[in-house]
Amino acid sequence: MSCLGTGLLAVSAISSRGAEVVVTNVWSDAMRKDVPVALVLPSACRADGACRRPVAYMLHGYGGNHLEYLEKTKRVREHVDLFGYIAVCPDGMVSSWWVDSPVDPAVRYETFVAKELVAWTDAHLPTLPDRNRRALVGASMGGFGALSIASRHTDVF
């Protein structure tokens, strides 16, 4: 049995012992495009599709992408299994700063993360859909985005 809900199209999946990595696309109405997202699912979730887990949204830094944490932080999969959470790593372009641009309507990453991605995650994965069970973290540009988004969306994070 899989932790993945119906309707999730896996572009690629990497599995072995431990947490499973699934790379997919999430549609953004705000930006009118698919946004690549890497999901890291704890192995316990795969064994019991009824599990419910907290979620950590991990925002990459300037110049990075949705795979940055998996490529540079080799222990993400281990930590997902050890602490029993789901990691969601969206792509924020090379330099979006995770904001809604006041000049370019095609750049709406705050809206994507705070509204669209959280709603998609809760609809497609066995999450604990509660602000007390969601973390928003980031490095560099992602750290700015995490603090900025979380401070304006205290009802979500």
Side-chain angles (χ1 to χ4, degrees), residues 31 56 72 74 97 101 105 123 151:
M31 296 187 285
K72 293 184 178 177
K74 302 297 183 191
W97 287 92
S101 171
S151 69

Side-chain angles (χ1 to χ4, degrees), residues 112-132:
F112 175 70
V113 170
K115 296 182 180 178
E116 297 173 327
L117 185 58
V118 168
W120 182 92
T121 303
D122 287 345
H124 290 88
L125 300 174
T127 65
L128 291 166
D130 180 307
R131 69 174 291 278
N132 294 315

Side-chain angles (χ1 to χ4, degrees), residues 73-87:
T73 310
K74 302 297 183 191
R75 298 187 75 186
V76 171
R77 290 175 68 183
E78 179 184 326
H79 286 175
V80 161
D81 266 347
L82 181 64
F83 298 109
Y85 66 94
I86 297 169

Side-chain angles (χ1 to χ4, degrees), residues 58-78:
M58 303 173 71
L59 309 182
H60 66 77
Y62 185 92
N65 62 34
H66 60 293
L67 300 174
E68 180 172 292
Y69 285 102
L70 299 170
E71 293 169 350
K72 293 184 178 177
T73 310
K74 302 297 183 191
R75 298 187 75 186
V76 171
R77 290 175 68 183
E78 179 184 326

